[in-house]
Amino acid sequence: KQIEFTEDLQIRLEKAELEIFNRTYEIRQTSKKLQSVSESLRRKELQLQEAQRRENFGSWTWDIGSNRRQWSEEMFRIFGIQPNHKGIVPEPEFVWNFIHKDDRDFVRKAIDEAINEGKQYNIEYRIIRSDGSERVVHAVGDLYFASDGKPSEMMGTLHDVTERKKIVDSLLESENQFRGLLETAYDPILIVDEKGSIEYANRQTKAWLGYEPEELIGKPIEILIPDRFSKSHIDKRAEYMKRPVSRPMGRNLELSAKRKDGNEFPVEISLSPFQTSRGNLVTDFMRDMTDQKSAENQQKFLNDTSRILSETISYQERIRRITNFVVPTLADWCTVYIYEKEKLTLRASAQAE
């Protein structure tokens, strides 16, 4: 019996040792996996920190119940503060001291609305860094809820967009100056996109074309082209947009524009393309040529009349030719009466077809 007890005890000890070995092996394997995961997380954390540093944005969390905030290293750098190893913000009011005093109410309102309405907040505001410099930041925060449905935590990012804001403001200022220059022009000026849609019209379109600028926005440029030319203009416009260059429109052609009331008048148009992020746009400079055309026609009439009067032809033939020059150059119809022998005698007449 003693021998049997000893052998049974030996077997149990061997099983226990094997179980301990297996458990120890499993613990070591688990430990290695945890260490590998920990190293992977650490690498990702470093990569995230590097990405935040390059892109100048930080991440943050806010425990609403305890009013405790935690920042990434880049958050501290954005505010011009030396990062601490835990990323914990010392005091709740610490954050507000860095927000521009004129923006604090706006930021508080945005956060309160996000919490009360259970939505994301997405705002831009100004901060004053520790060195006194002013920066513009873009903040995004997402709300998380506890099991009872109440907001428990907010997490988000903060992006320093100061340089981007300067660029945007500069572009807006340049655009406003450009538009201001266009508005002071005497002639109608339009900006048209690649599809022929009007994107901008200055206020002179009212005086010369009968359209308020707002009426033309989004309309095809063909709205200003006489109906008999509108179809062919679409093809010519598409061809021009393949290789847009600055040049007069319709070289050696007499161009006409159509007013809102349907009346036409002679115009001279210059095209000037420019590149934008949305593609090519073309500025159309339009000039009313009515007075110039009238002066040209009158001068042509005088030249032709002088030539006829100098020719050795009959008196009656001279009157007939001059009458035909009047129509349609200067008038739609013309009748010539000669007072002779104490009475008016019809010598010639002509009218436009």
Side-chain angles (χ1 to χ4, degrees), residues 219-315:
K219 298 292 193 302
I221 190 64
E222 282 73 29
I223 195 175
L224 304 175
I225 305 294
D227 295 341
R228 62 188 179 279
F229 300 130
S230 60
K231 186 176 181 180
S232 61
H233 183 267
I234 294 175
D235 297 332
K236 291 177 180 178
R237 171 172 51 78
E239 189 65 26
Y240 170 81
M241 291 306 299
K242 292 178 181 178
R243 296 184 63 183
V245 294
S246 296
R247 64 169 176 81
M249 179 178 170
R251 290 188 183 93
N252 303 320
L253 295 176
E254 293 190 357
L255 305 177
S256 296
K258 184 179 68 173
R259 293 190 175 95
K260 186 177 181 179
D261 61 9
N263 290 326
E264 299 178 13
F265 63 101
V267 292
E268 184 180 82
I269 299 175
S270 295
L271 306 175
S272 180
F274 60 98
Q275 182 70 38
T276 71
S277 59
R278 305 189 306 277
N280 284 318
L281 299 180
V282 179
T283 305
D284 295 355
F285 299 89
M286 183 182 299
R287 172 152 293 182
D288 185 345
M289 300 297 289
T290 302
D291 293 340
Q292 183 173 330
K293 286 295 181 184
S294 178
E296 289 176 358
N297 290 335
Q298 291 179 22
Q299 185 61 50
K300 183 177 183 300
F301 172 76
L302 292 175
N303 292 339
D304 291 339
T305 302
S306 297
R307 178 175 55 79
I308 291 171
L309 292 175
S310 65
E311 292 179 354
T312 56
I313 55 178
S314 66
Y315 178 68

Side-chain angles (χ1 to χ4, degrees), residues 178 182 189-193 197-200 274 281-283:
F178 175 65
L182 298 184
I189 299 176
L190 308 168
I191 295 179
V192 182
D193 65 15
S197 179
I198 299 172
E199 288 201 358
Y200 168 81
F274 60 98
L281 299 180
V282 179
T283 305

Side-chain angles (χ1 to χ4, degrees), residues 121-133:
Y121 88 96
N122 190 326
I123 58 174
E124 281 190 7
Y125 58 91
R126 294 167 293 174
I127 63 170
I128 304 298
R129 287 164 51 96
S130 59
D131 60 5
S133 62

Side-chain angles (χ1 to χ4, degrees), residues 67 69 89-95 97:
N67 202 19
R69 292 171 172 81
V89 181
E91 300 173 2
E93 288 300 315
F94 181 80
V95 179
N97 291 333

